[in-house]
Amino acid sequence: QVQLVESGGGLVQAGGSLRLSCVASGRTFSPTAMAWFRQAPGKEREFVAAITWRGSATYYADSVKGRLTISRDNAKNTVHLQMNGLKPEDTGVYYCAACYEYYLDYVSARKYRDWGQGTQVTVSS
């Protein structure tokens, strides 16, 4: 069974930066894509960014384009989310997720089977 563990969350002022990491452990890890989702208090979980595991395709929510960057390190079974220019509306619990099927896109949470426990990101104004 695969375990995903996120780290790197914290409290930052608006305009600041954070770098989230997600490490996968367990049985042989061979996803087709990895993603970050977030959930703000009282809101539904929403897509943030995704990256294919073998290719170089990336996907971003419109609200984070140009500010957040997803990357991966296949050798370390790790995916990162570099967050710059943070805004208060970026506040929430950030989850990483792993997908194991091939799709035309990787935006929907229903396509992901394994999830981490989440890491809190709080952006103060």
Side-chain angles (χ1 to χ4, degrees):
Q1 185 168 350
V2 171
Q3 289 187 327
L4 303 178
V5 179
E6 303 96 335
S7 62
L11 173 64
V12 64
Q13 289 187 336
S17 299
L18 285 174
R19 181 177 171 86
L20 305 185
S21 296
C22 173
V23 180
S25 62
R27 62 172 172 81
T28 301
F29 185 62
S30 185
T32 54
M34 294 286 291
W36 290 94
F37 290 78
R38 67 187 180 191
Q39 187 167 18
K43 295 187 177 181
E44 294 186 353
R45 190 172 298 189
E46 65 173 356
F47 170 78
V48 175
I51 186 167
T52 55
W53 201 245
R54 296 301 176 190
S56 59
T58 55
Y59 308 82
Y60 293 95
D62 289 342
S63 60
V64 306
K65 285 181 180 177
R67 301 187 298 116
L68 276 58
T69 303
I70 190 170
S71 61
R72 54 170 168 74
D73 184 338
N74 293 35
K76 297 182 179 179
N77 286 345
T78 300
V79 63
H80 302 285
L81 185 67
Q82 178 66 43
M83 304 190 295
N84 299 328
L86 284 165
K87 303 176 181 180
E89 51 263 45
D90 293 318
T91 294
V93 179
Y94 282 68
Y95 300 90
C96 71
C99 174
Y100 301 95
E101 301 292 335
Y102 287 97
Y103 297 101
L104 292 178
D105 68 76
Y106 295 92
V107 174
S108 172
R110 291 174 294 180
K111 296 177 180 177
Y112 294 84
R113 188 182 73 194
D114 291 325
W115 292 80
Q117 293 300 307
T119 185
Q120 177 69 46
V121 171
T122 303
V123 184
S124 63
S125 57

